[in-house]
Structures are given as structure tokens and as C-alpha cells.
Amino acid sequence: MPDFVHLHVHSHYTLLESTTPVKGLVTHAKSLGMDALALTDRGNLFGAFEFHSECKDKGIKPIVGCQVNVAPLGMREKTRDTHQLVLLATSEQGYRNLSKLVSKAWLDGFYFEPRVDLECIAQHQEGLICLTGAGKDAFINRHLLVGADDEAARQLGMLTDIFADRVYVELTDHGVEGPVSALAGARRLAAQVGAPVVASNWAHYLNRADATTHDVQLAIQKVTTIADTRRKRMPAQEYYLKSAEEMAGLFADLPEALANTRAIAERVAKTVIPSGAYHLPHFTCPEGHSEASWLRELCARGIARRYGAAPSAEVRERLEFELETITAMGFCAYFLIVADFINWAKDRGIPVGPGRGSAAGSIVAYAMKITDMCPLKYGLLFERFLNPGRKSMPDIDIDFCKDRRGEVIEYVSKKYGQDAVTQIMTLGTMKARMAIKDVARAYEWTPEESQDLANLVTEDPSGKHTLAVCLGKKPLDQEKGLYDAVDAMVKRYESDHRSKDVLDTAMALEGLGRSLGVHACGIIIAPGPVSDFVPVCKVKDKPATQFNMGQVEKCGLLKMDFLGLKTMSILKKTADVVKAAEGIDIDFETVPLDDAKTFAMLGTGETLGVFQCESSGFQELIKLLKPDRFEDLIALVALYRPGPLMAGMHTSYCNRKHGLEKVDYPHPVLEKSLKETYGLYIYQEQVMNISRELCGFSPAEADDLRKAMGKKDINVLKKLEEKFIEGAWTTNQFDKGKCKEMWEKILGFASYCFNKSHSACYGLIAYWTAWAKANHYAAFMTANLIYEMDNKDKMTLFVERLRATDVPVLPPDINESGWEFTLVRGSGVGGRGSEAAEY
């Protein structure tokens, strides 16, 4: 096979200009027998990490690059005139320089598109190879096409001054040369100045047959039709990933152009994008303290505050274990950073949730006021949060008051530097209905026609009902072989050629990139400018990483989720209303968790406004259960999910609580773990405890089991099954046959088991809202009205409920009304102590 490497290739991350998904690109290159490949999307590195990983998995050398837009008059000059160069990273330093260049193009040079200039390129040229570009906008081709050969030579000389022997004249042959040939001019110029040449095919799609779909995509990009003669289009159907044999045929008279593709590939290191290391910001500690010693000092103060001056041995042992683990794993700074901004928020009256996710299993987090759930009291496990046997970045998600979340982010930005704190980019892709409507418009369908066809797509927020599934071409569930075709769509596809054309093209475009967005709550905090570690772009005038959430974490950056939870705002508003109306201060962290009035209300199903408990199904469940302890709310949060509901676990829990169903335990030693849930396996932590107490697993091994069960990792589970059964016999002389039965039962429920730490935290928020409603009804309902003013349907529910309980909602009053609902005392109307909500 001729020796050729593709060095100029676009993926769908060159938005609406390529029909090539990264995975498909790498798979296709592998099928062509290629052992090296470049990705050079225009102006961005969005796909670089994915490409690098896919190539590694397929045994292909990844060449990370970018087709950059060069502003001839400088980045500061506002002009749309740009030239194009291709830059390829040959080393880790080259990748860092390319990342810097692309980031500067977005942050400093953006004008309609990201741009750099030669001065910027010269500052970051180390580790980069330069190709002169393809097409009419290529760096030297623009001059060659107008006969300005001297200027082309001068521009090439400027590149040589920057890159020395790392600049190549790029040659493409798509069979569309006009009266003045850029290919001939480039060959002539290279020979004249002695510059090396390199062949490419500037690929925008995978196969020749994809050219038609790509042409429709270009029409979609310009919001026009394929019949529009003035729109952007490719002049031939040759812009695909050609085989080495095809390229050898095109450049048979110039073998060095092919050979140089291999020479360039040989100059590239096997790995250019680093991963595995962690890049935590430095936390400034008081003089005389390291991060580890300061963490210990703060924990000592926090433990005394939470448990008194003489904490129990259990508390001391748990704290020491966690501190040793955190220090050994190098995450002291992480906890200090999180505690700092959470306590900054609390000190300024910004409501913060009691915890979220597995972080509530940490007594260090509890001591430092990161969370407000005692992990010992509720049996929450640290290993569920941070496994000492498997190093991975801890992940603490925080719920802030929706109204003031931005203040906390601003504080973090000022503390660590504006360029060290960014959002995380997300890629908006073409969904099934959008793809149909986009393609139909390109084919000149009326809006009514396209909407009619799009409406046939099964409504599915999960996105599993793709067009291929709706047309019966792919199963909905591969493992089960389950199909869910839409008969009406299949009929139109088979009987109407216009619909078939639209659907075929839409299927090809579905899932490809269409727009940029940002993660709803993810924030990156780096030890320096984020662009030193990953490339940065701008989305809606705010900086964001060019890698997605999972990728930035693999690059070792600290990701925090700053969530805005409306419920925290409602609770704060309730406290404010109570204070204004009754002069009572409410501290939700100190409300009793055994309030009879609260449980009595919940038992009636009156859960409108109660966090996560408002649906009609939940109301029926809570009426059936009639909770009388906080642990019941924790269980309800875990049980009211599709898996447990389908398995009937919610009914069993209710029946066992009320003595209608027998409670049994497979082994006496398990009663401690399962008594709280009447013998049912509801929480992941229970499975972890069983493996520890019954089978002698270490804490790290218990978490490995939990993770393997959740992911259904068959290979890992087979190894752990033997250890589980043998351990139960060795540790507790538990019959192997019965243990095998219990293993199968646990395995069956594993996919339903929920994270108890998260359930406990959200159960607490649910309890707080229920307590507020039961004890300060009018104030709580007033707060909800305030936060539902933009939701007509929801506000109507609250108004109707208030009127049904003799608390009227008064009309606006020019003399009395504020800008939001207020609670009026002594209005002389209604019940509940003559309270009324006034708009």
C-alpha cells in the first residue's frame, strides 16, 4: 500500500461544514489500513481529546491539529478577510502552544470567527508543523490565484522565518482548477524556493457518496435551500477521506509529496495530549501551615463544633481515616477550596443545600460545613465518595440559592483569577425532529410539511428514539433486540420519495454538531490560566473550555458544579416572610426532625410545594406509607424512581413498615444494614456494608463491588462473586448455597439501588419544605407564589390551594402591594389566623 497519511481533515466539530463524526472518522481510517491520522477542525480543538482517545483505542497515531484563521492586518483589526494555515502539534509542548493559539483566537481575536495573526503564531510556534493550507483562502493560494507570485513567495518566506524546516507547501487536487491553477502555482513556488511539499485531500466527509448530504448541510448552515445558486458549496465531490491508493494515483508524478506525509507523521510523538495528572489550584494557608496541616486544624475546630469538645472514638477514628486518605491522595487543597467558598456564601446569608451526591458520606466535609448531614448517624460511607484504592478526583456538587449563585461564582473568579475560572462547553447536536425540519427546509418544503413529518418522531427526552429507531432500521434496545418503529413514518418512507430523501439525509445528519452551549452548572477552577491546560473558547461572550465535562476532568482539572436550586431560594424567602410577619428567626439546620405536625401533614398527601414530592404518584405513595420518621423520607426519595417502582419495592417497603409483609434477613449479621429498610436492598451503601460485614471486603473493595454492579461489569463481577461467597463462609460461616442465592438477589436489585448520601440530603431538603409548610403555611405558600410568578399553571395550583384552605389571595393594591407577593396579617378575611397573600 502506498505510504500516505491524511493531514488535513475536518470533523463535525467544524460546525455545519463536515458530516464526519470523530468515531466514524477513526474507524473508517482504520478500515483503509491507515496507522496515522490528523484532525484539523477549523478554528477549534473541540474534537481533539475525543480524536486522540479514539485513535489510541484503534492503534492509530493521532496527529492533533487545527486549521487556523490568520488575520492579515492583525488580530485587533476588525476585518472578515482571513487566510488559512494548518498547524500540527508534534509534542506535548506543541499541543500546549496550539491550545494557547486557539484560545487566543477566541478570547482576543474573535471577529465573526476565531482569528490569530503571524505575531501570535511566532510566539507559540515551538512544537508545531505548518502546512500552507488548501483551497482559495489558503495562506499562499490567495496570492497565487491572482497571479501575485512574488507576494506568495514573500508570505512563504515569513512562514519559513517562523517555522524553519517545519513549514510545508500543501498540495491538493480535487480536479476543479480554474484558468489559474493554485496547484500548479504552489508546485512552482515550492520548487523555486526549495520548500518541501506535502499532499492532502482536505476531507469534509468520509465517502464520495456523502457529498450530497454534505451539500445539504452547507445549505442548512446558511439557512437557505440547495437550489440557491449564490450559497456556499463545494466545487466537486472529491472532498472525502481518500485511500492511500487514490492519493498515490493523484500524485503519481510527485512521490515526495506523499512521502512527506509519512515524514511529518514520524515527527509527531505518540501522545501529545497529557492526561492522568491533577492540576488543583493552590490554596493560600495561614503562615506556618501547609494545606494538610490547615485542613487538620479546620477539621479539629469543626468536629468540636459538631460533636462537642470530647467526640467519641468512632468520630475520631473516622476523621483520622478520612484525613489520611485525603492527604495521601493529594486532595487537601480540594476540600479547602470547596469549604472556603461554601462558608463565604453562608457567612453572607446565601442559602446552601445540606449536601448533594456522595459527598455527604464524608465526616471531613461535615466538619468543614461543606455538608450538613452527619454521616455516622445515617450510615453514609466515605468510600462511596472517595475510594482509597482507586484514585479519582473527588466530586462535590453544591446547591446554592438560585438568586445568588452568581455571587459565589464571582467570588471564586476574583480569588483564583478570571482566566483561571471558566465554564464548560457543551455541544448542541441535531436531534431527530430538528434534523427533519432543517433538511426539509433545504429541500424547499413548506414549514407545515416539515412539521407534519417531524411530528411523527416519538417524543422521547432521552433521545433513544432516533430516526433509525423510528424507521425500524435499528433496535431501541440492542441487548434485548427490542424494536419500536413508527408505522406512519415507515409507511411514508416507503411510499413517498420526497419523504424518503428528507429522512435519509436527516438520518445522516442526526447527532452531528450544530451549536455551542455551556454546561448548566459546571465551573473549572485551574491553578493558572485554563488555556495552559485545555483550549478555551467563548460562548455567549463568556469563556468556556473547548473540551466537555468528562474530558476536562480526564485532563486533571478541578470541576465544580454550582447548581442553582430554586427550593433553597424558597426556603430563604419563607424565613424572610416569617421574620417580617411574625418576628421569628428560622434556622432550618436546627429544626427538629421528629416534628409530629410535619409527618401528619405528609401522611395526608398534602405535598404541593414539598421538594421532590409534588407529583400525583408520590402523593399516593406517601399517603400509603404515612411516614413517621425522617428515615422514611430518605427511603422515599430513593424508591420513587422508575426501577424501584417497576420492581414494586415501594409497595413492599410500605407493607413491611405496616406489618402487612414479613421482614426477614438472609443472615443475622445483615440486620444492622437492612433493618432501617425492613430487609429491602434500597441503597448502594447497604450492598457495600453487606460485603464488608458479611464477606470481609475492605472499604475500597466494597466500593469496587458497588461500581461493578452499577455498570454491570460482568468480568469484574465474576471475580468478586467468588470472593463474596468465599468471604461470607470464611468470615461468618454462611452457607455457600444460600450466599449464592443472596448474591443473585443483590445482583438483581443492584441497578435499582440508590446513593443513600444523595437521598439523605435531598430527603432533608424535602423535610425542611414540609416542616415550613406544616408550621408556617401562609408564609411558605407566599414564598412559592413569588417563585412561580413566571409559571402560570403552577401559580394557579397554589392560588387554588390557598383559597381551598381559606387563605385568600388578594388583588393588587396601589397603596399596599409590593413588587412581589406579601403576607398580610389582620386583613379581616379568611382563616388561618386571618392571613392572606397579596399580589
Side-chain angles (χ1 to χ4, degrees), residues 283 335-345 370 411 415-416:
F283 186 85
F335 283 83
L336 292 169
I337 291 165
V338 177
D340 175 69
F341 65 71
I342 285 181
N343 284 291
W344 180 90
I370 293 172
Y411 166 74
K415 186 176 182 71
Y416 298 99

Side-chain angles (χ1 to χ4, degrees), residues 639-666:
L639 288 170
Y640 197 74
R641 296 177 300 114
L645 290 173
M646 290 180 64
M649 292 170 65
H650 62 305
T651 304
S652 289
Y653 184 89
C654 294
N655 288 340
R656 292 185 181 200
K657 177 179 176 66
H658 297 300
L660 302 176
E661 189 176 307
K662 183 182 177 182
V663 177
D664 58 357
Y665 307 102

Side-chain angles (χ1 to χ4, degrees), residues 597-759:
K597 194 174 181 181
T598 299
F599 288 117
M601 182 199 73
L602 288 172
T604 66
E606 288 289 334
T607 59
L608 179 64
V610 177
F611 182 63
Q612 293 209 326
C613 304
E614 295 185 89
S615 69
S616 58
F618 200 103
Q619 289 175 7
E620 292 302 315
L621 175 58
I622 205 166
K623 281 195 292 185
L624 180 66
L625 177 63
K626 298 195 181 304
D628 57 9
R629 57 181 186 143
F630 175 60
E631 285 78 5
D632 285 337
L633 277 186
I634 299 176
L636 285 175
V637 172
L639 288 170
Y640 197 74
R641 296 177 300 114
L645 290 173
M646 290 180 64
M649 292 170 65
H650 62 305
T651 304
S652 289
Y653 184 89
C654 294
N655 288 340
R656 292 185 181 200
K657 177 179 176 66
H658 297 300
L660 302 176
E661 189 176 307
K662 183 182 177 182
V663 177
D664 58 357
Y665 307 102
H667 191 282
V669 78
L670 300 183
E671 183 173 353
K672 180 181 176 182
S673 296
L674 298 177
K675 184 176 182 180
E676 176 190 351
T677 55
Y678 307 106
L680 295 171
Y681 304 96
I682 292 179
Y683 308 120
Q684 294 168 355
E685 286 84 345
Q686 288 176 311
V687 175
M688 293 170 68
N689 275 329
I690 288 169
S691 67
R692 291 166 63 176
E693 295 167 6
L694 181 69
C695 310
F697 276 39
S698 70
E701 290 171 333
D703 187 60
D704 289 339
L705 173 61
R706 184 271 313 168
K707 188 173 183 181
M709 284 184 164
K711 290 190 172 183
K712 298 182 180 178
D713 191 327
I714 302 301
N715 294 327
V716 175
L717 286 173
K718 283 182 179 178
K719 296 177 183 178
L720 291 173
E721 179 183 359
E722 183 179 346
K723 183 177 178 63
F724 187 92
I725 295 173
E726 286 296 327
W729 169 252
T730 303
T731 307
N732 288 286
Q733 290 72 54
F734 189 34
D735 180 80
K736 292 185 178 181
K738 291 183 178 179
C739 189
K740 172 72 173 177
E741 292 178 10
M742 189 180 74
W743 169 266
E744 296 294 341
K745 188 175 182 181
I746 290 175
L747 210 59
F749 281 97
S751 59
Y752 304 144
C753 290
F754 196 58
N755 179 351
K756 186 181 181 183
S757 294
H758 182 73
S759 190

Side-chain angles (χ1 to χ4, degrees), residues 84-142:
Q84 294 175 3
L85 287 175
V86 174
L87 301 179
L88 307 173
T90 63
S91 62
E92 186 177 320
Q93 181 59 43
Y95 159 73
R96 293 192 185 283
N97 276 323
L98 185 60
S99 178
K100 272 289 185 186
L101 274 170
V102 174
S103 299
K104 285 179 177 290
W106 282 86
L107 300 177
D108 302 329
F110 195 95
Y111 185 69
F112 287 93
E113 57 187 349
R115 308 170 308 144
V116 292
D117 54 30
L118 289 184
E119 181 182 359
C120 185
I121 290 174
Q123 292 172 358
H124 301 281
Q125 52 75 32
E126 184 181 350
L128 296 177
I129 286 176
C130 175
L131 313 186
T132 57
K136 63 183 179 61
D137 293 324
F139 196 79
I140 62 172
N141 288 4
R142 292 171 63 94

